[in-house]
């Protein structure tokens, strides 16, 4: 399964995917390209070190948003992916891309959707809100991407306990280590090996 990973930052989720392909946790999958909207994203360095083509499509390089979105979609198309993985990608996905790759785009969000998600809930902001609210459990969610923000059908979730005196940074790291970096590779492997099922309620499950 040809897979493109879209990134904006440090690429720790990308690294977890690359490591999972290397150690056989993910099978039947080729990471054929990495696309970032930021030239300085360390994720591009991780791609280069893994010998994977990396492409930067920066909004600043285009006069209009439409030109940027067309360039982003052209970059995705150039890899002819079967699956697109948003791994810390902080750009709203163009509607045309959602249509063209319907049910073939997944996203990792660092909370238990529908809590702490939607506009403004990204990166550390998620964990700041979690600690402000005082919830005892948070976690991460893999979901299919639709035209909303973090609103697509949920595929996989994993819970993480909050500890006393957690800081947003400490909590973010725990959610990454104990949830994101585990469920994103699991979801990719399940899709690559046709182990996704929909139940009578229309909800998605991974079959082991
Ligand atoms: C992190 O906030 C992570 O929780 C979210 O995207 C951000 C960047 O992750 N999924 P990464 O290190 O670039 O994968």
């Amino acid at each position: 399964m040809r897979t493109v990973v879209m990134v904006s930052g440090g690429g720790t989720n990308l690294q977890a995917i690359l490591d999972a392909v290397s150690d056989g946790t993910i099978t039947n999958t080729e990471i054929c390209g990495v696309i970032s909207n930021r030239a300085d994203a360390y994720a591009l360095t991780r791609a280069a070190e893994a010998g994977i083509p990396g492409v930067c499509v920066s909004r600043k390089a285009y006069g209009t948003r439409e030109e940027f979105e067309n360039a982003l979609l052209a970059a995705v198309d150039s890899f002819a992916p079967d699956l697109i993985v948003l791994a810390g990608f902080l750009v709203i996905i163009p509607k045309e891309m959602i249509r063209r790759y319907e049910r073939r785009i997944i996203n990792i969000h660092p909370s238990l959707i529908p809590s702490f998600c939607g506009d403004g809930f990204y990166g550390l902001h998620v964990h700041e809100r979690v600690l402000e609210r005082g919830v005892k459990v948070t976690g991460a969610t893999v979901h299919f991407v639709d035209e909303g923000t973090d609103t697509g059908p949920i595929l996989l979730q994993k819970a993480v306990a909050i500890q006393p005196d957690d800081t947003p940074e400490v909590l973010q790291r725990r959610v990454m280590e104990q949830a994101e970096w585990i469920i994103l590779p699991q979801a990719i492997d399940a899709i690559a090996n046709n182990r996704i099922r929909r139940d009578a309620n229309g909800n998605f499950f991974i079959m082991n």
Side-chain angles (χ1 to χ4, degrees):
M1 176 178 73
R2 292 181 58 84
T3 300
V4 163
V5 183
M6 302 184 78
V7 297
S8 297
T12 64
N13 279 285
L14 168 65
Q15 193 64 56
I17 294 166
L18 297 176
D19 295 347
V21 170
S22 298
D23 71 16
T25 304
I26 295 177
T27 61
N28 205 12
T29 297
E30 173 198 7
I31 309 300
C32 55
V34 173
I35 298 172
S36 176
N37 64 310
R38 295 182 49 142
D40 64 347
Y42 189 69
L44 286 174
T45 302
R46 296 181 190 271
E49 287 171 352
I52 294 169
V55 172
C56 177
V57 182
S58 168
R59 172 70 183 83
K60 293 196 285 280
Y62 297 91
T64 67
R65 178 155 195 86
E66 184 180 6
E67 287 166 348
F68 165 67
E69 291 189 343
N70 291 340
L72 193 65
L73 189 46
V76 172
D77 290 347
S78 73
F79 290 111
D82 301 303
L83 179 69
I84 298 162
V85 179
L86 309 183
F89 191 61
L90 295 178
V91 169
I92 302 296
I93 301 302
K95 285 184 173 35
E96 173 55 24
M97 182 169 149
I98 304 273
R99 194 196 56 75
R100 193 172 303 178
Y101 292 95
E102 187 177 11
R103 200 58 50 71
R104 292 194 287 156
I105 310 175
I106 60 173
N107 180 50
I108 177 83
H109 180 75
S111 77
L112 295 177
I113 290 176
S115 297
F116 306 104
C117 65
D119 294 343
F121 285 93
Y122 60 91
L124 273 181
H125 300 306
V126 173
H127 308 291
E128 289 163 353
R129 300 291 87 72
V130 161
L131 293 174
E132 279 169 16
R133 185 62 185 83
V135 296
K136 303 309 169 203
V137 175
T138 186
T141 302
V142 176
H143 64 93
F144 289 106
V145 172
D146 65 9
E147 296 193 5
T149 301
D150 304 328
T151 54
I154 292 169
L155 180 57
L156 206 47
Q157 296 189 298
K158 193 169 190 327
V160 172
I162 312 289
Q163 306 293 340
D165 307 321
D166 266 347
T167 64
E169 291 78 6
V170 166
L171 181 56
Q172 177 179 54
R173 185 76 188 183
R174 188 181 311 127
V175 169
M176 285 176 163
E177 288 174 345
Q178 297 184 10
E180 295 179 46
W181 300 345
I182 294 170
I183 63 175
L184 189 51
Q186 281 179 344
I188 295 167
D189 183 60
I191 293 167
N193 293 287
N194 194 29
R195 288 191 288 109
I196 307 292
R197 296 285 177 272
R198 285 190 86 165
D199 71 358
N201 300 314
N203 295 323
F204 290 91
F205 290 86
I206 283 177
M207 312 308 287
N208 292 318

